[in-house]
């Protein structure tokens, strides 16, 4: 019969077999104790073979151990494969398919293994054919993006199987987009390329590069170019897109964003705690969940946020699993007329179904043979196999005779086993000498043949024989019982009471039969202690190394060593035990059940339950707190200030409004502080109006008709609530009426007031206060700020990496410059001295728009800013040195030639070439226009040599150089030197 039940995705099935007294069919074929049925050592695995590879071969593995050796057969979609043909051959059990074809060979393969003990069938292995076609030959439409705004390029991959991996090229191979560039993201689902924030130098041709990885080969192809042009003056818009879920062993959630400034990202699990194994990916565009489990199921949300706003997107993960064995059957030998119950327990989601096979076919119960249990769901199928044998045998004691010498302690009890091999089960009885034994108050013969003798005395010594009999024959086995003196505890251990860290010795002495060895063991709370390690405690003290003494030394006692210690003295025939209690006093254990109640803006009420006092009364409690602004735990102010040891609640005061906190409680007694409790759940105090004013109020500078006011943004701990912003008040000095403006961004640090009638360097009085949804905070001190002065500043691009800034002469100036879309607070600076009216700023990015402002400074600090101006650096020079460089010595001259360098669309035009000639202490620089690609130079004298560097130059600066070395004994040669890196222009 069979039965099945399911619970939490588990399937339990059993197979019950009853064997009769007749010999099973075929019993004489499979020899018990010699033959064995087949057991898989290697089963076939699914394979994807490249379509069109007609000259190759596919090998599906199948290996099994068996005695006698097994034979093999193969099935394709349930139909036997004709072996021995030109296309299908069998090599040691493996199936080899020559010149595989999709129309004839695609399908599900299984291996049958057969010997005279039975048949087993393998798991199914699928043979499929993979392919990747070429991209469409049609040209791709040009795409346009705006500077500072996001966009995406569609891959539109060609037909393929299985899934592809995607990368993107810029302009030419192998210039791939780097995976660590946070502005770019390549979806591994659609292949599309996402750009979060376009920059001018992103203008280029883009190619979608696809790769398919098969079991024996890899193929790649790429699309036609997709031209992308980046235009200025884009609009900011925050938007999340493309959330993807993969149902695999490691789940990846991906999200990409469009925005300027580039937003920050964070993930959370909407319906539970975020798994800690996500690591740093919880703050990036790709959330990775390795080692996926059912606990990871749920809804996940990605939030993107910056100074312009926030947006969220959600995706759900549903976890499923292929079948897995929880319990399987094992090979069994059963005696005739007995009963066997075989069980299979499997797990999986969806819940697997289970079926049974015998010798690879439908279940039949009348024979020995090979049995298989099969569990399957939509994600896969698994097989378990075992061999069943029915035994018939006369009683035989050769493998399990009765023990020849059986020692027993006087006054104790002894057990003598009788375990012959026999099938069917034999009748068992005992004799002492010639006396047949029967059950009595002291003697019992158990149903399994075991002989028990209680309250043993010297009179019980002698020979004992076990007799076994079934319908196939008889057998017996004899042993001798020897009676010894009993073991007794003569000095038992005493109870002890100590403080943590102290030492104590527990005594234990015993007497025993002198003809036998005595050993001592100790157990703590029923668990045996390892006393052999000399470096561990507890252990026997040096003074107890005597035969009848088993004292135990405990050094530096800890709480874990408190409890019932049991000393056992034992010989091979009996044992005696005695116990004592050790009490260890220590600081209190951690309090439990931390609850937070009655949350206000500056206080909470904390409740807890007492932990273990560890045998010393609790004297007081302290409360520790941790805010979201720091990982450090700090002692909190409380009411009452001193919390007594019998208290179970207190009020925590002096908290910051609208702040996240966790709390711990620590108990102490006269022995010290205990371990802290588990942290409470994180709570947020109630919001309140701001209580402090912003600091760092100042300003000045700017363009004509502007008043610029600056301040330090308020830190999170002073905001006190959401809906936070600033109220800026200002008035011309000497006037009564204040003008106010609300600035609703916590990150804001400056405000520009423009009035065309505003005279240069007009004094203003300004003050500032913070606000949130709960109200307005106090005003700052009033400070004086001047509107912009009249000044003149000009900036000119010199190359891709350098600009020149000019102004009216001042004694000392500081130049501040920053890229468009960056905050001025992050600007770099260059300082000048003297009355120089110009300065060069180098180390800039090519094709980039910069803001520039000039400040006067002295020992007292920095003055107001000049009106800002803007400048765009030139395109970069070509990043390739002149190619195909060669030279030839002609008389007293060296003739050098090279190929023209062609600039790409995003590089500055080549205006000419620079040739640097270096010989001993002589250096000569020649400038050539772009039409010249050769030059003649003096050859070296004597046996010396010259070094030549050739590079292109243009508005963007100098390109990388190609360096060659020429000596007198060289003829015409091809340059093979590695190029140098791009450098600044040579003067």
């Amino acid at each position: 019969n069979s039965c099945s039940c399911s619970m939490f995705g588990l399937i339990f099935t059993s197979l019950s077999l009853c064997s009769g007294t007749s010999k099973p069919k075929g019993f004489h074929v499979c020899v018990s104790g010699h033959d064995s049925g087949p057991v898989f050592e290697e089963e076939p695995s699914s394979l994807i073979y490249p379509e069109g590879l007609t000259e190759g071969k596919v090998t599906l593995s199948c290996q099994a151990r068996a005695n006698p050796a097994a034979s093999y057969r193969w099935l394709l979609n349930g139909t036997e494969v004709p072996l021995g043909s030109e296309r299908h051959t069998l090599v040691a059990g493996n199936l080899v398919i020559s010149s595989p074809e999709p129309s004839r060979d695609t399908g599900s393969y299984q291996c049958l293994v057969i010997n005279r003990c039975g048949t087993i069938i393998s798991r199914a292995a699928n043979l499929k054919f993979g392919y990747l076609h070429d991209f469409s030959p049609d040209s791709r439409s040009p795409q346009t993006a705006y500077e500072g705004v996001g966009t995406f390029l569609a891959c539109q991959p060609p037909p393929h199987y299985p899934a592809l991996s995607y990368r993107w090229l810029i302009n030419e191979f192998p210039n791939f987009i780097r995976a660590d560039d946070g502005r770019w993201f390549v979806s591994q689902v659609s292949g599309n390329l996402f750009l979060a924030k376009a920059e001018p130098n992103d203008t280029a041709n883009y190619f979608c590069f696809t790769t398919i990885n098969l079991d024996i080969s890899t193929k790649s192809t790429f699309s036609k170019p997709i031209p992308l042009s980046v235009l200025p003056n884009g609009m900011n818009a925050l938007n999340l897109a493309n959330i993807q879920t993969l149902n695999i062993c490691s789940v990846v959630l991906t999200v990409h964003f469009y925005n300027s400034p580039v937003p920050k990202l964070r993930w959370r699990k909407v319906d539970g705690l975020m798994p800690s194994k996500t690591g740093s990916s919880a703050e990036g565009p790709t959330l990775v969940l390795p080692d996926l489990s059912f606990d990871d199921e749920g809804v996940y949300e990605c939030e993107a946020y910056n100074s312009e706003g926030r947006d969220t997107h959600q995706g759900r993960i549903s976890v499923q699993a292929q079948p897995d064995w929880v319990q399987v059957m094992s090979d069994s030998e059963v005696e005739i007329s007995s009963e066997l119950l075989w069980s299979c327990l499997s797990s999986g989601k969806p819940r697997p179904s289970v079926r049974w096979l015998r010798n690879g076919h439908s279940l039949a119960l009348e024979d020995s043979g090979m049995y298989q249990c099969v569990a399957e769901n939509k994600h896969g199928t698994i097989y378990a196999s075992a061999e069943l044998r029915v035994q018939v045998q006369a009683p035989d004691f050769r493998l399990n005779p009765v023990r020849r010498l059986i020692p027993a302690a006087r006054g104790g009890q002894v057990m003598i086993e009788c375990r012959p091999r026999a099938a069917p089960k034999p009748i068992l009885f005992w004799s002492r000498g010639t006396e047949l034994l029967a059950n009595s108050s002291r003697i019992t013969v158990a149903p399994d043949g075991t002989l028990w003798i209680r309250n043993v005395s010297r009179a019980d010594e002698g020979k004992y024989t076990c007799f076994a009999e079934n319908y196939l024959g008889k057998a017996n086995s004899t042993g001798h019982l020897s009676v010894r003196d009993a073991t007794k505890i003569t000095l038992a251990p005493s109870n002890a009471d100590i403080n943590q860290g102290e030492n104590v010795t527990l005594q234990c002495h015993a007497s025993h039969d002198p003809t036998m060895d005595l050993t001592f063991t100790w157990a703590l709370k029923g668990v045996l202690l390892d006393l052999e390690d000399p470096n561990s405690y507890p252990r026997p003290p040096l003074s107890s190394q005597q035969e009848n003494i088993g004292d135990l030394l405990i050094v530096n006692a800890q709480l874990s060593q408190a409890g019932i210690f049991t000393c056992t003295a034992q010989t091979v025939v009996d044992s005696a035990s005695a116990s004592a209690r050790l009490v260890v006093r220590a600081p209190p254990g951690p309090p439990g059940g931390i609850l937070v109640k009655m949350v206000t803006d500056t206080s909470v009420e904390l409740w807890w339950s007492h932990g273990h006092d560890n045998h010393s009364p609790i004297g007081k409690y302290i409360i520790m707190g941790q805010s979201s602004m720091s990982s450090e735990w700090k002692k909190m102010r409380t009411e009452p200030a001193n919390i007594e040891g019998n208290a179970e609640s207190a009020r925590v005061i002096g908290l910051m409004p609208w702040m996240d906190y966790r709390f711990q409680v620590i108990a102490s007694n006269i022995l010290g502080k205990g371990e802290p409790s588990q942290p409470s759940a994180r709570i947020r105090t109630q919001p309140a109006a701001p209580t402090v004013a912003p600091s760092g109020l100042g300003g000045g500078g700017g363009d004509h008709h502007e008043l610029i006011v600056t301040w330090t943004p308020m830190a999170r701990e002073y905001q006190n609530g959401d809906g936070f912003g600033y109220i800026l008040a200002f008035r011309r000095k000497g006037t009564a009426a204040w003008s106010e403006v609300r600035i609703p961004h916590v990150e804001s640090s400056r405000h520009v007031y423009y009035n065309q009638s505003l005279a240069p360097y007009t004094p203003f009085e300004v003050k500032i206060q913070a606000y949130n949804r709960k109200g307005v905070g106090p005003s700052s001190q009033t400070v004086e700020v001047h509107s912009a002065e009249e000044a003149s500043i000009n900036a000119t691009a010199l190359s891709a990496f350098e600009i020149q800034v000019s102004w009216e002469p001042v004694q000392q100036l500081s130049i501040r410059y920053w890229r468009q879309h960056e905050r001025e607070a992050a600007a770099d600076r260059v300082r000048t001295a003297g009355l120089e009216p110009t300065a060069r700023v180098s180390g800039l990015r090519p094709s980039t728009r910069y803001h520039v402002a000039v400040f006067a400074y002295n020992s007292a600090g920095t003055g107001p800013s000049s009106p800002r101006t803007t400048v765009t650096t030139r395109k970069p020079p070509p990043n390739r040195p002149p190619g195909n460089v060669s030279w030839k010595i002609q008389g007293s001259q060296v003739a050098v030639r090279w190929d023209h360098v062609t600039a790409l669309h995003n590089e500055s035009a080549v205006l000419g070439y620079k040739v640097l000639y270096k010989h001993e202490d002589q250096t000569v620089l020649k400038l050539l226009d772009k039409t010249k690609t050769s030059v003649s130079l003096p050859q070296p004298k004597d046996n010396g040599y010259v070094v030549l560097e050739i590079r292109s130059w243009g508005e963007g600066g100098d390109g990388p150089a190609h360096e060659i070395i020429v000596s007198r004994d060289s003829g015409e040669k091809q340059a093979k030197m590695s190029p140098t890196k791009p450098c600044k222009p040579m003067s």
Side-chain angles (χ1 to χ4, degrees):
N1 57 53
S2 67
C3 65
S4 66
C5 63
S6 64
M7 181 176 63
F8 303 113
L10 296 178
I11 288 291
F12 177 83
T13 66
S14 62
L15 177 65
S16 180
L17 303 175
C18 297
S19 55
T21 57
S22 63
K23 293 183 180 180
K25 180 182 178 182
F27 173 76
H28 64 283
V29 177
C30 186
V31 180
S32 177
H34 177 269
D35 293 352
S36 60
V39 177
F40 280 115
E41 292 185 330
E42 185 176 6
E43 297 186 67
S45 299
S46 295
L47 180 69
I48 301 177
Y49 188 80
E51 187 177 276
L53 189 61
T54 57
E55 298 300 321
K57 294 182 178 180
V58 169
T59 300
L60 296 173
S61 300
C62 184
Q63 297 293 323
R65 66 177 184 273
N67 188 25
S71 60
Y72 297 85
R73 289 160 50 197
W74 282 86
L75 304 177
L76 170 57
N77 298 327
T79 302
E80 188 163 354
V81 175
L83 301 175
S85 64
E86 292 183 359
R87 297 188 67 252
H88 299 99
T89 54
L90 192 65
V91 179
N94 301 334
L95 175 63
V96 180
I97 305 173
S98 302
S99 303
E101 302 173 11
S103 60
R104 301 172 63 181
D105 299 314
T106 300
S108 176
Y109 289 80
Q110 287 180 286
C111 171
L112 287 169
V113 187
I114 308 109
N115 78 351
R116 64 192 182 199
C117 292
T119 301
I120 54 175
I121 188 169
S122 74
R123 68 190 178 200
N126 294 313
L127 175 59
K128 297 182 179 179
F129 289 78
Y131 58 90
L132 172 60
H133 295 173
D134 291 331
F135 277 89
S136 169
D138 298 336
S139 298
R140 294 294 190 93
S141 300
Q143 303 291 310
T144 300
Y146 289 96
E147 185 178 358
V149 180
T151 188
F152 81 96
L153 302 178
C155 178
Q156 299 175 357
H160 60 275
Y161 178 84
L164 301 174
S165 62
Y166 298 90
R167 291 190 290 173
W168 282 75
L169 294 163
I170 302 180
N171 289 327
E172 61 184 2
F173 185 88
N175 188 21
F176 288 100
I177 290 176
R178 297 202 331 263
D180 58 355
D181 190 335
R183 295 188 305 120
W184 299 96
F185 177 77
V186 179
S187 169
Q188 294 302 313
V189 177
S190 65
N192 294 344
L193 174 66
F194 294 88
L195 174 58
K197 173 187 171 187
E199 295 181 355
N201 55 1
D202 292 328
T203 297
N205 286 324
Y206 292 82
F207 301 82
C208 182
F209 189 89
T210 62
T211 301
I212 188 170
N213 294 297
L214 303 180
D215 293 302
I216 62 174
S217 68
T218 299
K219 181 180 178 181
S220 299
T221 184
F222 56 88
S223 68
K224 291 288 185 180
I226 305 173
L228 174 65
S229 299
V230 179
L231 305 179
N233 300 326
M235 298 292 291
N236 290 350
L238 183 61
N239 181 33
L240 286 177
N242 283 6
I243 210 162
Q244 308 288 350
T245 305
L246 305 179
N247 181 19
I248 55 176
C249 291
S250 179
V251 165
V252 178
L253 289 178
T254 62
V255 64
H256 208 60
F257 44 81
Y258 301 141
N259 193 253
S260 174
V262 175
K264 295 181 180 178
L265 296 173
R266 59 187 171 212
W267 290 86
R268 73 182 184 96
K269 190 176 183 183
V270 177
D271 49 0
L273 294 176
M274 190 73 166
S276 60
K277 60 186 175 183
T278 58
S280 60
S281 74
E283 295 181 354
T286 301
L287 178 68
V288 180
L289 291 170
D291 300 323
L292 191 66
S293 68
F294 289 108
D295 293 336
D296 298 323
E297 283 192 325
V299 177
Y300 291 79
E301 179 182 88
C302 179
E303 180 185 29
Y305 59 97
N306 64 9
S307 59
E308 303 298 324
R310 300 171 183 266
D311 196 12
T312 62
H313 202 106
Q314 293 183 351
R316 173 177 291 275
I317 292 178
S318 177
V319 181
Q320 296 193 344
Q322 66 182 28
D324 191 22
W325 290 122
V326 178
Q327 177 185 338
V328 295
M329 57 190 182
S330 58
D331 291 344
S332 297
E333 292 187 358
V334 297
E335 61 191 34
I336 197 166
S337 302
S338 65
E339 183 175 285
L340 168 70
L341 179 67
W342 258 336
S343 300
C344 279
L345 180 62
S346 64
S347 64
K349 187 178 180 183
R351 188 176 63 196
S353 61
V354 178
R355 54 194 171 91
W356 289 84
L357 302 176
R358 176 189 171 275
N359 287 334
H361 299 90
S362 298
L363 185 64
L365 302 180
E366 68 272 16
D367 254 337
S368 300
M370 298 302 300
Y371 290 82
Q372 289 182 283
C373 183
V374 186
E376 53 195 337
N377 66 10
K378 68 179 183 180
H379 297 296
T381 303
I382 54 176
Y383 290 74
S385 60
E387 182 179 0
L388 172 64
R389 294 182 182 177
V390 177
Q391 291 183 328
V392 179
Q393 181 180 359
D396 187 346
F397 280 99
R398 284 177 294 180
L399 292 180
N400 293 303
V402 174
R403 282 188 297 164
R404 289 191 176 184
L405 179 62
I406 308 154
R410 187 168 54 186
Q413 66 177 12
V414 65
M415 176 191 72
I416 310 176
E417 290 186 329
C418 179
R419 299 172 56 194
R421 291 176 61 89
K425 287 183 178 179
I427 299 171
L428 300 173
F429 53 93
W430 286 86
S431 71
R432 177 173 178 248
T434 59
E435 176 189 1
L436 190 65
L437 297 179
N439 287 346
S440 67
S441 59
R442 288 199 318 114
I443 297 176
T444 301
V445 178
D448 65 354
T450 301
L451 174 64
W452 289 89
I453 303 175
R454 298 171 184 84
N455 194 18
V456 175
S457 66
R458 292 286 185 186
D460 293 321
E461 284 189 329
K463 292 185 178 180
Y464 290 80
T465 302
C466 178
F467 296 87
E469 179 180 351
N470 66 12
Y471 73 91
L472 295 173
K474 301 178 181 179
N476 63 76
S477 181
T478 300
H480 179 80
L481 178 64
S482 174
V483 179
R484 314 291 174 87
D485 291 337
T487 303
K488 297 179 181 179
I489 298 293
T490 58
L491 178 60
S494 302
N495 295 337
D497 188 330
I498 61 174
N499 292 336
Q500 182 174 273
E502 294 180 347
N503 304 341
V504 66
T505 298
L506 301 179
Q507 293 181 308
C508 185
H509 300 182
S511 63
H512 67 293
D513 189 297
T515 65
M516 308 186 74
D517 292 332
L518 178 69
T519 59
F520 289 90
T521 60
W522 284 86
L524 172 58
K525 291 178 278 192
V527 178
L528 196 64
L529 299 177
D530 180 8
L531 304 179
E532 299 298 324
D533 186 355
N535 298 317
S536 66
Y537 288 93
R539 65 175 175 83
L542 295 177
S543 60
S544 70
Q545 306 300 312
Q546 300 179 32
E547 184 180 12
N548 294 333
I549 299 176
D551 295 352
L552 183 69
L553 172 63
I554 302 173
V555 175
N556 188 25
Q558 301 298 310
L559 280 173
S560 60
Q561 294 168 330
I564 301 296
F565 281 82
T566 301
C567 171
T568 300
Q570 61 185 31
T571 65
V572 295
V573 297
D574 71 337
S575 64
S577 298
S579 299
R581 177 181 295 275
L582 176 64
V583 175
V584 178
R585 302 182 186 276
I594 310 301
L595 294 177
V596 183
K597 300 180 179 180
M598 298 181 62
V599 179
T600 71
D601 56 344
T602 60
S603 68
V604 299
E605 192 171 278
L606 214 61
W607 289 77
W608 62 89
S609 60
H610 296 299
H612 294 293
D613 64 6
N614 291 331
H615 310 290
S616 180
I618 297 173
K620 65 177 182 177
Y621 290 96
I622 61 172
I623 296 177
M624 307 295 290
Q626 180 195 61
S627 75
S628 55
M629 304 302 298
S630 171
S631 60
E632 182 183 359
W633 288 89
K634 299 179 180 179
K635 185 178 179 181
M636 309 304 291
R637 293 167 51 204
T638 60
E639 288 181 351
N642 295 315
I643 308 172
E644 295 182 356
N646 59 355
E648 291 186 308
S649 68
R651 189 150 199 87
V652 182
I653 60 175
L655 304 178
M656 290 181 285
W658 201 57
M659 184 62 64
D660 293 341
Y661 286 96
R662 295 194 302 166
F663 301 98
Q664 290 179 332
V665 180
I666 299 176
S668 64
N669 58 21
I670 60 174
L671 297 175
K673 289 183 181 179
E675 292 293 320
S677 68
Q678 288 293 317
S680 69
R682 191 178 297 277
I683 61 96
R684 175 169 291 184
T685 52
Q686 296 295 321
T691 55
V692 296
S695 62
L697 186 61
D703 293 337
H704 296 305
H705 314 301
E706 286 184 349
L707 170 67
I708 295 181
V709 182
T710 61
W711 62 92
T712 302
M714 292 278 277
R716 168 67 178 82
E717 57 263 39
Y718 302 118
Q719 294 172 21
N720 287 8
D722 58 352
F724 185 86
Y726 305 95
I727 300 176
L728 181 65
F730 57 93
R731 66 184 179 187
R732 280 187 174 89
K733 191 172 183 180
T735 62
W738 291 87
S739 298
E740 286 190 351
V741 60
R742 285 193 170 228
I743 303 159
H745 299 299
V746 65
E747 299 93 349
S748 298
S749 61
R750 70 194 302 266
H751 177 72
V752 180
Y753 167 68
Y754 179 83
N755 189 328
Q756 198 160 3
S757 64
L758 193 60
Y761 211 64
T762 300
F764 278 80
E765 292 179 322
V766 297
K767 59 183 179 180
I768 193 170
Q769 57 192 147
Y771 72 90
N772 60 25
R773 296 190 195 280
K774 284 292 184 177
V776 179
S779 292
S780 68
Q781 297 275 342
T782 301
V783 301
E784 185 174 307
V785 177
H786 292 79
S787 62
E789 297 181 86
E790 287 188 325
S792 174
I793 179 176
N794 184 54
T796 305
L798 299 179
S799 71
F801 312 101
E802 196 170 39
I803 62 174
Q804 179 170 283
V805 183
S806 60
W807 58 89
E808 295 177 0
V810 181
Q811 183 65 31
Q812 291 180 313
L813 279 172
S814 173
I815 303 169
R816 184 180 296 171
Y817 59 97
W818 63 99
R819 286 186 292 163
Q820 191 175 23
H821 305 304
E822 288 185 339
R823 295 174 57 185
E824 184 177 354
D828 292 314
R829 302 185 183 196
V830 173
R831 287 195 169 189
T832 68
L835 295 175
E836 291 293 333
T838 63
R840 288 190 177 189
V841 179
S842 58
L844 306 179
R845 295 191 182 189
S847 303
T848 302
R849 189 175 181 87
Y850 283 87
H851 297 293
V852 183
V854 175
F855 299 78
Y857 73 93
N858 58 22
S859 60
T862 301
S865 167
S866 71
R868 74 181 64 172
T869 187
T870 58
V871 60
T872 301
T873 54
R874 302 185 187 278
K875 293 181 179 180
N879 65 356
R880 303 163 299 287
N884 200 23
V885 179
S886 63
W887 75 89
K888 184 176 183 181
I889 296 179
Q890 298 174 334
S892 62
Q893 299 288 308
V894 177
V896 184
R897 296 180 179 84
W898 60 88
D899 287 347
H900 178 65
V901 178
T902 302
L904 302 177
H905 71 281
N906 59 348
E907 298 174 336
S908 61
V910 175
L911 300 181
Y913 298 92
K914 293 183 179 181
V915 180
L916 184 66
Y917 175 96
K918 292 187 289 187
H919 175 57
E920 295 180 349
D921 297 331
Q922 180 185 7
T923 301
V924 178
L925 176 66
K926 283 185 174 290
L927 295 178
L928 308 175
D929 64 37
K930 63 182 179 182
T931 62
K932 300 288 184 63
T933 58
S934 64
V935 68
S936 292
L937 299 166
Q939 71 163 325
K941 298 177 181 180
D942 302 326
N943 292 324
Y945 63 90
V946 297
V947 178
L948 301 180
E949 292 182 1
I950 307 165
R951 54 165 55 88
S952 63
W953 67 273
E955 291 182 343
D958 293 352
H962 203 130
E963 182 182 278
I964 60 175
I965 299 175
V966 179
S967 61
R968 282 183 59 85
D969 59 354
S970 61
E972 182 174 1
K973 293 189 178 180
Q974 187 78 18
K976 297 182 180 179
M977 302 297 291
S978 300
T980 63
K981 297 180 179 179
C983 60
K984 297 178 182 179
M986 294 187 296
S987 57

